[in-house]
Amino acid sequence: MTPPAAPAVLNRPLRWRAPSPAACAAACAAPRFIDLCCGESLPRQAWQTRQELTQGLLAEAASVSPKFFYNALGSRLFEAITALSEYYPTRTEAGIFKAACPQMAQALAQAGLPHPCLIDLGAGNCAKALSLIPQLAPRQYVPVDISVDFLKDAAGQVQNCFPALDIVGVGMDFSAGLALPAEVQADDRVFFYPGSSLGNFQPAQALAFLRHIADPAQGRARGLLLGIDLVKDTATLEAAYDDALGVTAAFNKNLLRNVNTLLGTDFDVRQWRHVALFNAAQSRIEMHLEALSALSVSWPGQTRRFRAGERIHTESSYKYTLEGMTALLRQAGFRQVQHWSDPQNWFAVFWAAV
Ligand code: AVJ
């Protein structure tokens, strides 16, 4: 499949460039930004993070949550992954957006949401929302991400592209709940959860999270635009998570560097190997880090020994069927569910209205 041509704005690298007069004018309107996870310096949150990491590392089957991939370098490595030929999800989803965007806008309008408050979960570089904003015409745009500094830059770029748009950037870890700040409009909320990030939750947790979004006392969603990766042949799936250049391997190993920073562990990245496999019984890609030899890892007050070949489970990325995701959304309380997909049925974008 030929990748669709991205709008010029999506090809802009996230780096400093000499500002144009227009950009300088727009810089006067820097987006509002609320950091709820600056956290790593807030003693309580830092303590909770260390607790969570310690628990995972000391478990018999060691694990670290995939949210710890996303420090500043991790967000950049993920951005590089989305440009890999093996990683089909991003370009396939972009193709669906491009082809079906007018129909998506129509579905929102029919649901009485011609100018929604668009809440972008795990917005990252905001590239996906940038392609939809012209057609979805949000009254407010709310990019949310755990990678605070990366998101700040990206939200600033969105503001440069749409100087009049009301933007409220939110730095937060929403895996534990969606307590959005008061600056976020309460009405006409449409959640945008693209890229198949919902796949990081176990199906039961995914259901709970979808219910939380739809709950009038919590997320207050009127609708949800959800991108989901679909089950397909194992070779295609495994190549997407174990690319020839080793970018995904670097992304996986960078998690150990982030854990060193957050917890004070002494992981040596060179002692670990990237492993990606499709677990068909559970319908999920698993990523692990495997110890190349017997070793031990220490951090304040603790040590964990690993045998040669022992693994740390770092990510599960669940793959759904069209029927399975439709049923899950209905079960979560969304009444009207429809979807668009690519010709190969590799990826789907769902519109679910409450
Ligand atoms: C951001 C969770 C959707 O599971 O495909 C990419 C993360 N991990 N390559 C995915 C990821 C390895 C990605 N999500």
Side-chain angles (χ1 to χ4, degrees), residues 78-98:
F78 179 68
E79 200 176 25
I81 286 173
T82 65
L84 294 168
S85 55
E86 294 97 332
Y87 194 74
Y88 61 84
T90 309
R91 66 169 183 276
T92 308
E93 183 181 53
I96 298 168
F97 285 143
K98 199 172 180 212

PDB file of all heavy atoms in Angstrom, residues 78-98:
ATOM      1  N   PHE A  78       9.554   7.143  19.513  1.00  0.00           N
ATOM      2  CA  PHE A  78       8.248   6.681  19.017  1.00  0.00           C
ATOM      3  C   PHE A  78       7.897   7.395  17.715  1.00  0.00           C
ATOM      4  O   PHE A  78       7.379   6.785  16.777  1.00  0.00           O
ATOM      5  CB  PHE A  78       7.126   6.850  20.050  1.00  0.00           C
ATOM      6  CG  PHE A  78       5.817   6.390  19.482  1.00  0.00           C
ATOM      7  CD1 PHE A  78       5.606   5.047  19.220  1.00  0.00           C
ATOM      8  CD2 PHE A  78       4.836   7.298  19.113  1.00  0.00           C
ATOM      9  CE1 PHE A  78       4.430   4.595  18.619  1.00  0.00           C
ATOM     10  CE2 PHE A  78       3.657   6.868  18.514  1.00  0.00           C
ATOM     11  CZ  PHE A  78       3.451   5.519  18.276  1.00  0.00           C
ATOM     12  N   GLU A  79       8.209   8.693  17.654  1.00  0.00           N
ATOM     13  CA  GLU A  79       7.946   9.438  16.424  1.00  0.00           C
ATOM     14  C   GLU A  79       8.720   8.807  15.259  1.00  0.00           C
ATOM     15  O   GLU A  79       8.201   8.678  14.151  1.00  0.00           O
ATOM     16  CB  GLU A  79       8.364  10.899  16.623  1.00  0.00           C
ATOM     17  CG  GLU A  79       7.732  11.862  15.660  1.00  0.00           C
ATOM     18  CD  GLU A  79       8.110  13.310  15.963  1.00  0.00           C
ATOM     19  OE1 GLU A  79       9.167  13.567  16.576  1.00  0.00           O
ATOM     20  OE2 GLU A  79       7.329  14.200  15.574  1.00  0.00           O
ATOM     21  N   ALA A  80       9.963   8.365  15.535  1.00  0.00           N
ATOM     22  CA  ALA A  80      10.758   7.700  14.487  1.00  0.00           C
ATOM     23  C   ALA A  80      10.119   6.359  14.096  1.00  0.00           C
ATOM     24  O   ALA A  80      10.093   6.002  12.908  1.00  0.00           O
ATOM     25  CB  ALA A  80      12.196   7.488  14.972  1.00  0.00           C
ATOM     26  N   ILE A  81       9.577   5.639  15.070  1.00  0.00           N
ATOM     27  CA  ILE A  81       8.907   4.364  14.770  1.00  0.00           C
ATOM     28  C   ILE A  81       7.776   4.578  13.767  1.00  0.00           C
ATOM     29  O   ILE A  81       7.603   3.804  12.826  1.00  0.00           O
ATOM     30  CB  ILE A  81       8.350   3.722  16.073  1.00  0.00           C
ATOM     31  CG1 ILE A  81       9.496   3.139  16.910  1.00  0.00           C
ATOM     32  CG2 ILE A  81       7.318   2.633  15.759  1.00  0.00           C
ATOM     33  CD1 ILE A  81       9.069   2.634  18.288  1.00  0.00           C
ATOM     34  N   THR A  82       7.028   5.672  13.962  1.00  0.00           N
ATOM     35  CA  THR A  82       5.868   5.897  13.083  1.00  0.00           C
ATOM     36  C   THR A  82       6.287   6.159  11.636  1.00  0.00           C
ATOM     37  O   THR A  82       5.455   6.097  10.740  1.00  0.00           O
ATOM     38  CB  THR A  82       4.996   7.080  13.571  1.00  0.00           C
ATOM     39  OG1 THR A  82       5.745   8.299  13.472  1.00  0.00           O
ATOM     40  CG2 THR A  82       4.526   6.878  15.000  1.00  0.00           C
ATOM     41  N   ALA A  83       7.575   6.441  11.415  1.00  0.00           N
ATOM     42  CA  ALA A  83       8.066   6.674  10.048  1.00  0.00           C
ATOM     43  C   ALA A  83       8.670   5.408   9.427  1.00  0.00           C
ATOM     44  O   ALA A  83       9.100   5.430   8.271  1.00  0.00           O
ATOM     45  CB  ALA A  83       9.105   7.799  10.055  1.00  0.00           C
ATOM     46  N   LEU A  84       8.708   4.295  10.181  1.00  0.00           N
ATOM     47  CA  LEU A  84       9.322   3.064   9.660  1.00  0.00           C
ATOM     48  C   LEU A  84       8.410   2.361   8.666  1.00  0.00           C
ATOM     49  O   LEU A  84       7.189   2.334   8.857  1.00  0.00           O
ATOM     50  CB  LEU A  84       9.598   2.091  10.817  1.00  0.00           C
ATOM     51  CG  LEU A  84      10.635   2.505  11.856  1.00  0.00           C
ATOM     52  CD1 LEU A  84      10.559   1.566  13.060  1.00  0.00           C
ATOM     53  CD2 LEU A  84      12.035   2.495  11.250  1.00  0.00           C
ATOM     54  N   SER A  85       9.018   1.745   7.638  1.00  0.00           N
ATOM     55  CA  SER A  85       8.194   1.015   6.661  1.00  0.00           C
ATOM     56  C   SER A  85       7.461  -0.151   7.338  1.00  0.00           C
ATOM     57  O   SER A  85       6.325  -0.458   6.986  1.00  0.00           O
ATOM     58  CB  SER A  85       9.066   0.511   5.506  1.00  0.00           C
ATOM     59  OG  SER A  85      10.143  -0.255   6.005  1.00  0.00           O
ATOM     60  N   GLU A  86       8.095  -0.785   8.326  1.00  0.00           N
ATOM     61  CA  GLU A  86       7.446  -1.938   8.977  1.00  0.00           C
ATOM     62  C   GLU A  86       6.265  -1.534   9.854  1.00  0.00           C
ATOM     63  O   GLU A  86       5.365  -2.331  10.092  1.00  0.00           O
ATOM     64  CB  GLU A  86       8.449  -2.688   9.880  1.00  0.00           C
ATOM     65  CG  GLU A  86       9.583  -3.369   9.150  1.00  0.00           C
ATOM     66  CD  GLU A  86      10.846  -2.505   9.137  1.00  0.00           C
ATOM     67  OE1 GLU A  86      10.713  -1.245   9.193  1.00  0.00           O
ATOM     68  OE2 GLU A  86      11.941  -3.070   9.069  1.00  0.00           O
ATOM     69  N   TYR A  87       6.298  -0.292  10.372  1.00  0.00           N
ATOM     70  CA  TYR A  87       5.252   0.117  11.319  1.00  0.00           C
ATOM     71  C   TYR A  87       4.067   0.700  10.533  1.00  0.00           C
ATOM     72  O   TYR A  87       3.976   1.900  10.301  1.00  0.00           O
ATOM     73  CB  TYR A  87       5.810   1.116  12.345  1.00  0.00           C
ATOM     74  CG  TYR A  87       4.884   1.299  13.530  1.00  0.00           C
ATOM     75  CD1 TYR A  87       4.772   0.313  14.508  1.00  0.00           C
ATOM     76  CD2 TYR A  87       4.101   2.444  13.661  1.00  0.00           C
ATOM     77  CE1 TYR A  87       3.902   0.463  15.588  1.00  0.00           C
ATOM     78  CE2 TYR A  87       3.234   2.603  14.732  1.00  0.00           C
ATOM     79  CZ  TYR A  87       3.146   1.607  15.695  1.00  0.00           C
ATOM     80  OH  TYR A  87       2.281   1.759  16.760  1.00  0.00           O
ATOM     81  N   TYR A  88       3.163  -0.186  10.135  1.00  0.00           N
ATOM     82  CA  TYR A  88       2.027   0.201   9.286  1.00  0.00           C
ATOM     83  C   TYR A  88       0.929   1.008  10.011  1.00  0.00           C
ATOM     84  O   TYR A  88       0.161   1.720   9.342  1.00  0.00           O
ATOM     85  CB  TYR A  88       1.397  -1.077   8.668  1.00  0.00           C
ATOM     86  CG  TYR A  88       0.880  -1.985   9.754  1.00  0.00           C
ATOM     87  CD1 TYR A  88      -0.381  -1.779  10.297  1.00  0.00           C
ATOM     88  CD2 TYR A  88       1.691  -2.967  10.318  1.00  0.00           C
ATOM     89  CE1 TYR A  88      -0.821  -2.540  11.367  1.00  0.00           C
ATOM     90  CE2 TYR A  88       1.262  -3.713  11.381  1.00  0.00           C
ATOM     91  CZ  TYR A  88       0.008  -3.498  11.904  1.00  0.00           C
ATOM     92  OH  TYR A  88      -0.410  -4.208  12.972  1.00  0.00           O
ATOM     93  N   PRO A  89       0.768   0.900  11.367  1.00  0.00           N
ATOM     94  CA  PRO A  89      -0.431   1.526  11.956  1.00  0.00           C
ATOM     95  C   PRO A  89      -0.581   3.020  11.675  1.00  0.00           C
ATOM     96  O   PRO A  89      -1.664   3.467  11.280  1.00  0.00           O
ATOM     97  CB  PRO A  89      -0.269   1.260  13.465  1.00  0.00           C
ATOM     98  CG  PRO A  89       0.556   0.011  13.542  1.00  0.00           C
ATOM     99  CD  PRO A  89       1.528   0.142  12.398  1.00  0.00           C
ATOM    100  N   THR A  90       0.501   3.800  11.854  1.00  0.00           N
ATOM    101  CA  THR A  90       0.354   5.255  11.734  1.00  0.00           C
ATOM    102  C   THR A  90      -0.064   5.679  10.332  1.00  0.00           C
ATOM    103  O   THR A  90      -0.993   6.464  10.160  1.00  0.00           O
ATOM    104  CB  THR A  90       1.665   5.956  12.139  1.00  0.00           C
ATOM    105  OG1 THR A  90       2.067   5.447  13.414  1.00  0.00           O
ATOM    106  CG2 THR A  90       1.475   7.464  12.243  1.00  0.00           C
ATOM    107  N   ARG A  91       0.610   5.140   9.316  1.00  0.00           N
ATOM    108  CA  ARG A  91       0.261   5.597   7.958  1.00  0.00           C
ATOM    109  C   ARG A  91      -1.082   5.030   7.518  1.00  0.00           C
ATOM    110  O   ARG A  91      -1.811   5.680   6.761  1.00  0.00           O
ATOM    111  CB  ARG A  91       1.372   5.254   6.959  1.00  0.00           C
ATOM    112  CG  ARG A  91       1.589   3.794   6.717  1.00  0.00           C
ATOM    113  CD  ARG A  91       2.521   3.543   5.516  1.00  0.00           C
ATOM    114  NE  ARG A  91       2.650   2.111   5.285  1.00  0.00           N
ATOM    115  CZ  ARG A  91       3.517   1.335   5.942  1.00  0.00           C
ATOM    116  NH1 ARG A  91       4.336   1.854   6.822  1.00  0.00           N
ATOM    117  NH2 ARG A  91       3.557   0.033   5.696  1.00  0.00           N
ATOM    118  N   THR A  92      -1.422   3.833   8.008  1.00  0.00           N
ATOM    119  CA  THR A  92      -2.728   3.266   7.634  1.00  0.00           C
ATOM    120  C   THR A  92      -3.850   4.102   8.245  1.00  0.00           C
ATOM    121  O   THR A  92      -4.830   4.443   7.577  1.00  0.00           O
ATOM    122  CB  THR A  92      -2.825   1.799   8.094  1.00  0.00           C
ATOM    123  OG1 THR A  92      -1.685   1.088   7.627  1.00  0.00           O
ATOM    124  CG2 THR A  92      -4.085   1.147   7.561  1.00  0.00           C
ATOM    125  N   GLU A  93      -3.668   4.463   9.515  1.00  0.00           N
ATOM    126  CA  GLU A  93      -4.669   5.298  10.181  1.00  0.00           C
ATOM    127  C   GLU A  93      -4.763   6.669   9.503  1.00  0.00           C
ATOM    128  O   GLU A  93      -5.868   7.189   9.291  1.00  0.00           O
ATOM    129  CB  GLU A  93      -4.314   5.455  11.654  1.00  0.00           C
ATOM    130  CG  GLU A  93      -5.339   6.259  12.443  1.00  0.00           C
ATOM    131  CD  GLU A  93      -4.936   6.413  13.904  1.00  0.00           C
ATOM    132  OE1 GLU A  93      -3.790   6.860  14.163  1.00  0.00           O
ATOM    133  OE2 GLU A  93      -5.733   6.084  14.773  1.00  0.00           O
ATOM    134  N   ALA A  94      -3.605   7.235   9.141  1.00  0.00           N
ATOM    135  CA  ALA A  94      -3.624   8.549   8.465  1.00  0.00           C
ATOM    136  C   ALA A  94      -4.394   8.463   7.158  1.00  0.00           C
ATOM    137  O   ALA A  94      -5.120   9.395   6.795  1.00  0.00           O
ATOM    138  CB  ALA A  94      -2.189   9.030   8.224  1.00  0.00           C
ATOM    139  N   GLY A  95      -4.253   7.342   6.454  1.00  0.00           N
ATOM    140  CA  GLY A  95      -4.989   7.141   5.211  1.00  0.00           C
ATOM    141  C   GLY A  95      -6.495   7.089   5.450  1.00  0.00           C
ATOM    142  O   GLY A  95      -7.284   7.629   4.663  1.00  0.00           O
ATOM    143  N   ILE A  96      -6.893   6.446   6.547  1.00  0.00           N
ATOM    144  CA  ILE A  96      -8.325   6.367   6.886  1.00  0.00           C
ATOM    145  C   ILE A  96      -8.850   7.764   7.223  1.00  0.00           C
ATOM    146  O   ILE A  96      -9.915   8.169   6.756  1.00  0.00           O
ATOM    147  CB  ILE A  96      -8.563   5.388   8.059  1.00  0.00           C
ATOM    148  CG1 ILE A  96      -8.132   3.971   7.666  1.00  0.00           C
ATOM    149  CG2 ILE A  96     -10.041   5.405   8.487  1.00  0.00           C
ATOM    150  CD1 ILE A  96      -8.056   2.990   8.844  1.00  0.00           C
ATOM    151  N   PHE A  97      -8.091   8.514   8.004  1.00  0.00           N
ATOM    152  CA  PHE A  97      -8.518   9.885   8.339  1.00  0.00           C
ATOM    153  C   PHE A  97      -8.688  10.706   7.065  1.00  0.00           C
ATOM    154  O   PHE A  97      -9.652  11.438   6.892  1.00  0.00           O
ATOM    155  CB  PHE A  97      -7.490  10.577   9.239  1.00  0.00           C
ATOM    156  CG  PHE A  97      -7.512  10.109  10.678  1.00  0.00           C
ATOM    157  CD1 PHE A  97      -6.330   9.993  11.396  1.00  0.00           C
ATOM    158  CD2 PHE A  97      -8.710   9.812  11.316  1.00  0.00           C
ATOM    159  CE1 PHE A  97      -6.337   9.580  12.720  1.00  0.00           C
ATOM    160  CE2 PHE A  97      -8.731   9.393  12.643  1.00  0.00           C
ATOM    161  CZ  PHE A  97      -7.543   9.274  13.350  1.00  0.00           C
ATOM    162  N   LYS A  98      -7.706  10.561   6.181  1.00  0.00           N
ATOM    163  CA  LYS A  98      -7.738  11.371   4.969  1.00  0.00           C
ATOM    164  C   LYS A  98      -8.965  11.035   4.130  1.00  0.00           C
ATOM    165  O   LYS A  98      -9.657  11.915   3.629  1.00  0.00           O
ATOM    166  CB  LYS A  98      -6.460  11.100   4.157  1.00  0.00           C
ATOM    167  CG  LYS A  98      -6.203  12.187   3.167  1.00  0.00           C
ATOM    168  CD  LYS A  98      -4.856  12.031   2.499  1.00  0.00           C
ATOM    169  CE  LYS A  98      -4.684  13.182   1.524  1.00  0.00           C
ATOM    170  NZ  LYS A  98      -3.896  12.817   0.372  1.00  0.00           N
TER     171      LYS A  98
END
